[in-house]
Amino acid sequence: MSNDGNYIYSHATGLAAKTVEQHQAPQDLVFYAGWFCPYVQRSWISLEEKGIPYQYKEVNPYKKEQHFLDINPKGLVPAIEYKSKALYESLILCEFFEDAFPEHTPHLLTTDPFDRAYVRLWVDHVSKQIVPTFMRLVMAQEPEKQREHLADFYKGVRTLTDKVKGPYFLGEQFSLVDIALAPWVLRDYILAENRGYSREAAGSAWVAYAKALETRESVLRTQSDKEHYAQIYARYLRNEAQSEAAKAIRAGKPF
Ligand SMILES: N[C@@H](CCC(=O)N[C@@H](CS)C(=O)NCC(=O)O)C(=O)O
């Protein structure tokens, strides 16, 4: 076990704490989550958007306790148990919620086959371009590397914003593209405070899109107080984090 788990505040705060409190009763769907985790937040936003009944259980994934490894052998949050069967991986969970609860709207993957593929295409861009570059930029120590990753981050963001219809990616309809990205938009103040990033430098379309995402109710309802996120990122900013993600980024492997 890495000692990263020792640096994590034990529970959600702010509006997220209220949401946790409202989801303590037993349900068919148990959501194993860490309040701090951007991947968790993706699946959590989906649950909140769709009004799916779920029971929230806080897990410290860095402790790798056996009961949790039985649910997710990778030992990562988010994970779920649904009618005693286990699943994990944030985006796979989001798609599962679409399939298992078709009567719950909005349809975040949309219903038209072309649109579904198009949403997946841009979720892939978020996952392969934007998120890893965000992490590389946070972890980079040398100014030259930081400049390189910052330029890559702006590039990834601009490629996406060129396609944003506004206020959300597909227009009025909130979708999985917005969900895949929103947790990192909420956390971009880490880049602004430490790595010379500004939303304005990525263009006015990005400023407007980021604002629309961070003020969406489901996003607000799953957000904790900023100071507790900053505590965790401090280890990434010094390149000391030992999470699976940090190790993969250092090794240049996909995550
Ligand atoms: N690809 C996974 C990533 C999940 C992930 O990395 N979760 C982190 C917390 S943000 C975790 O559980 N880390 C534990 C560890 O690295 O040991 C997903 O999309 O669900």
Side-chain angles (χ1 to χ4, degrees):
M1 170 192 135
S2 77
N3 62 359
D4 287 33
N6 301 337
Y7 300 89
I8 295 175
Y9 198 69
S10 61
H11 54 83
T13 52
L15 287 180
K18 290 205 176 67
T19 308
V20 168
E21 206 180 294
Q22 289 158 3
H23 289 88
Q24 289 303 302
Q27 298 289 349
D28 283 346
L29 195 157
V30 183
F31 183 49
Y32 292 93
W35 64 267
F36 59 90
C37 174
Y39 301 96
V40 162
Q41 197 175 8
R42 284 172 161 173
S43 309
W44 202 4
I45 292 170
S46 288
L47 288 169
E48 285 292 315
E49 280 288 333
K50 299 174 79 65
I52 294 169
Y54 66 93
Q55 180 182 14
Y56 181 104
K57 284 199 184 169
E58 187 72 38
V59 173
N60 184 333
Y62 299 100
K63 293 199 170 149
K64 308 284 177 220
E65 286 170 10
Q66 192 54 49
H67 80 92
F68 185 57
L69 292 173
D70 292 342
I71 293 159
N72 180 359
K74 291 183 174 177
L76 305 174
V77 285
I80 63 162
E81 265 186 313
Y82 181 58
K83 300 185 178 170
S84 305
K85 290 197 241 173
L87 281 175
Y88 42 89
E89 280 297 321
S90 57
L91 293 170
I92 289 173
L93 295 181
C94 292
E95 292 218 15
F96 174 73
F97 301 150
E98 294 303 305
D99 295 339
F101 301 90
E103 70 286 7
H104 284 256
T105 54
H107 294 297
L108 299 164
L109 201 50
T110 79
T111 47
D112 173 79
F114 178 86
D115 290 346
R116 286 169 78 83
Y118 186 73
V119 165
R120 288 191 177 111
L121 193 65
W122 287 97
V123 166
D124 193 60
H125 175 80
V126 171
S127 296
K128 290 192 184 143
Q129 302 296 324
I130 297 183
V131 172
T133 313
F134 183 108
M135 292 301 293
R136 279 185 212 115
L137 177 55
V138 169
M139 290 167 63
Q141 302 298 299
E142 296 136 37
E144 195 185 320
K145 282 277 166 216
Q146 291 177 359
R147 275 195 295 277
E148 192 184 303
H149 296 315
L150 182 59
D152 275 355
F153 187 70
Y154 285 137
K155 191 169 158 218
V157 155
R158 285 195 197 106
T159 305
L160 182 83
T161 39
D162 280 351
K163 303 287 177 191
V164 172
K165 293 214 179 97
Y168 304 115
F169 183 73
L170 292 177
E172 291 300 326
Q173 187 181 359
F174 195 65
S175 77
L176 209 49
V177 180
D178 307 308
I179 291 177
L181 180 65
W184 284 272
V185 167
L186 288 180
R187 290 159 176 78
D188 73 352
Y189 68 95
I190 302 283
L191 302 181
E193 288 171 8
N194 299 281
R195 293 291 185 261
Y197 155 90
S198 77
R199 285 186 185 173
E200 289 71 20
S204 56
W206 175 243
V207 174
Y209 182 42
K211 189 91 209 147
L213 294 184
E214 72 184 0
T215 52
R216 179 90 181 175
E217 202 188 326
S218 58
V219 174
L220 292 169
R221 283 171 59 78
T222 53
Q223 194 184 2
S224 281
D225 295 335
K226 277 186 172 180
E227 72 214 59
H228 296 305
Y229 294 111
Q231 216 174 359
I232 296 169
Y233 275 101
R235 286 178 55 71
Y236 285 88
L237 287 162
R238 294 193 302 266
N239 198 13
E240 287 172 3
Q242 292 302 324
S243 65
E244 294 306 314
K247 285 189 267 186
I249 295 284
R250 250 176 239 124
K253 290 189 184 151
F255 186 70

